[in-house]
């Protein structure tokens, strides 16, 4: 890791990333793409050490309360967060100043901050987002090697349910010829239904590959799935979007299972939900555009 002093912490859409880079080791990670112009090794995490100070300054200046998002580009619960606790300090500020939170992770370290998530959710809205790609634990250890497995993430979802904290699952990416089976998706969706997940985000059923991401992904395919890289190249060439062959059928399954379980499957509705600030104490709602 290396420390950097950031000039700002919130984007125009009220999103923040405290870290840049990742140590989870997911073989499909889009954040490795060269389009993001990272000037350091991906696993050499850039730590924005002044994130709490910047966040507090920004929250003080805002005219109205809104939802704050984190985790879109870099997981807020990387391994070094255990000692640095920058994510926790930022959550303390979000709670202190009465803002809402939409937080995305693959790590069960989020349970460390359950007290803050509950406090935020009592006053406004706290939405916890988890990524689930494969129900098979052995396969999960290959695809996402340095983070807790799907089974543990499902446990986290159930804990959030018990605490009344809404959850959303990113069931993406689904890798062609690897985890693109009806059995896999059905098992994930069943677990999400039991955990009373608010909704499922998919962006279609498949994978996107950019320069930088593609090379790392293919390297891992050669390491773990003999002959799979050649199958990808033959099927998709250098395409950016790699839909699974049975995408229409699997999307139909997602819609059917979500409707049956009362889960939202339309991504635009879910993003609208995550951007909608709810003042539970005053009984009013504000969108991010009011901030």
């Amino acid at each position: 890791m290396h420390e950097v002093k950031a000039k700002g912490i919130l984007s125009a859409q009220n999103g923040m990333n405290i870290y840049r880079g990742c140590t989870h080791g997911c073989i499909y990670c889009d954040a490795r793409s060269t389009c993001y112009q990272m000037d350091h090794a991906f696993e050499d995490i850039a730590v924005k050490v002044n994130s709490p100070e910047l966040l507090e300054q920004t929250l003080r200046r805002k005219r109205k309360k809104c939802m704050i998002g984190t985790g879109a580009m870099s997981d807020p619960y990387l391994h070094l967060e255990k000692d640095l606790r920058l994510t926790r300090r930022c959550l303390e500020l979000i709670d202190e100043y009465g803002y809402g939170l939409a937080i995305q992770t693959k790590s069960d370290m989020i349970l460390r901050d359950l007290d803050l998530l509950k406090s935020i959710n009592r006053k406004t809205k706290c939405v916890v987002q988890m990524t689930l790609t494969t129900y098979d634990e052995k396969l999960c250890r290959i695809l996402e090697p340095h983070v807790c497995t799907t089974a543990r993430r499902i446990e986290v979802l159930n804990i959030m349910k018990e605490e009344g904290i809404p959850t959303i699952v990113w069931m993406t990416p689904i890798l062609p010829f690897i985890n693109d089976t009806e059995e896999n998706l059905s098992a994930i969706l069943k677990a999400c239904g039991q955990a009373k997940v608010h909704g499922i985000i998919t962006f279609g059923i498949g994978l996107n590959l950019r320069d930088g991401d593609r090379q790392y992904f293919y390297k891992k395919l050669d390491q773990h799935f003999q002959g799979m890289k050649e199958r990808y190249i033959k099927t998709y060439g250098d395409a950016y979007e790699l839909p699974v062959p049975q995408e229409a059928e699997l999307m139909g399954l997602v819609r059917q299972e979500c409707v049956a379980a009362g889960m939202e499957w339309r991504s635009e509705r879910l993003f609208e939900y995550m951007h909608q600030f709810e003042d539970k104490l005053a009984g009013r709602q504000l969108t991010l555009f009011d901030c």
Side-chain angles (χ1 to χ4, degrees):
M1 58 161 279
H2 62 282
E3 298 182 353
V4 298
K5 287 291 187 73
K7 295 180 179 179
I9 192 62
L10 286 188
S11 69
Q13 292 75 38
N14 297 309
M16 68 174 178
N17 287 288
I18 300 167
Y19 304 111
R20 194 171 190 206
C22 191
T23 51
H24 288 344
C26 303
I27 72 172
Y28 51 73
C29 182
D30 176 73
R32 292 181 180 272
S33 301
T34 56
C35 67
Y36 299 120
Q37 300 179 334
M38 190 172 295
D39 59 1
H40 55 87
F42 191 70
E43 288 79 11
D44 177 19
I45 309 302
V47 179
K48 300 176 185 177
V49 291
N50 59 335
S51 294
E53 292 81 3
L54 290 173
L55 180 61
E56 184 165 23
Q57 293 168 13
T58 304
L59 297 184
R60 280 178 172 173
R61 290 196 305 264
K62 279 188 171 292
R63 294 184 298 109
K64 295 180 180 180
K65 304 294 174 60
C66 62
M67 297 291 288
I68 305 296
T70 189
M73 282 298 297
S74 185
D75 199 307
Y77 291 103
L78 299 181
H79 301 90
L80 45 72
E81 165 62 20
K82 183 177 181 180
D83 295 321
L84 295 181
R85 300 173 69 87
L86 290 174
T87 294
R88 181 169 178 87
R89 178 57 186 141
C90 287
L91 296 190
E92 288 173 342
L93 290 167
I94 290 169
D95 182 35
E96 178 183 347
Y97 284 90
Y99 285 77
L101 175 68
I103 186 167
Q104 183 178 354
T105 185
K106 289 179 181 150
S107 174
D108 59 351
M109 196 190 305
I110 193 172
L111 294 175
R112 180 201 65 184
D113 297 334
L114 185 58
D115 59 327
L116 293 171
L117 305 180
K118 290 165 61 176
S119 181
I120 292 169
N121 197 57
R122 280 194 295 267
K123 293 177 288 188
T124 65
K125 181 169 63 183
C126 175
V127 183
V128 171
Q129 304 158 73
M130 274 279 171
T131 298
L132 303 180
T133 62
T134 177
Y135 199 76
D136 185 298
E137 293 289 277
K138 291 182 180 179
L139 181 58
C140 184
R141 279 298 180 206
I142 295 173
L143 303 185
E144 301 152 351
H146 306 311
V147 68
C148 67
T149 62
T150 299
R152 178 57 173 161
R153 290 178 227 168
I154 291 172
E155 288 181 5
V156 173
L157 292 172
N158 279 290
I159 291 171
M160 296 300 165
K161 176 190 69 174
E162 293 169 2
E163 298 294 348
I165 296 172
T167 55
I168 288 175
V169 163
W170 292 65
M171 197 170 66
T172 180
I174 301 300
L175 310 180
F177 320 125
I178 295 176
N179 62 338
D180 60 338
T181 66
E182 181 176 332
E183 178 184 14
N184 179 48
L185 269 61
S186 292
I188 293 174
L189 291 167
K190 180 180 179 181
C192 290
Q194 292 172 343
K196 303 297 182 184
V197 167
H198 180 76
I200 306 292
I201 292 176
T202 61
F203 297 119
I205 309 295
L207 168 70
N208 293 337
L209 288 180
R210 293 186 175 99
D211 182 61
D213 175 22
R214 183 186 306 274
Q215 290 87 334
Y216 186 81
F217 180 64
Y218 281 172
K219 175 183 175 181
K220 292 300 178 179
L221 288 187
D222 281 340
Q223 182 178 343
H224 297 290
F225 305 96
Q226 186 175 5
M228 187 63 73
K229 179 180 73 175
E230 289 72 23
R231 187 175 183 184
Y232 268 70
I233 294 171
K234 180 179 179 181
T235 305
Y236 300 106
D238 291 327
Y240 166 60
E241 296 183 353
L242 285 65
V244 303
Q246 66 277 32
E247 182 182 22
E249 293 85 348
L250 291 179
M251 275 305 304
L253 172 67
V254 171
R255 289 192 292 268
Q256 177 182 329
E257 295 293 330
C258 283
V259 170
M263 299 184 293
E264 180 59 70
W265 58 271
R266 291 163 292 190
S267 296
E268 67 277 7
R269 296 282 184 91
L270 291 170
F271 283 109
E272 180 182 347
Y273 172 75
M274 285 190 283
H275 286 151
Q276 188 79 43
F277 176 81
E278 298 179 8
D279 189 338
K280 294 179 180 178
L281 301 181
R284 57 192 178 88
Q285 293 184 345
L286 296 173
T287 71
L288 65 90
F289 301 108
D290 295 314
C291 301

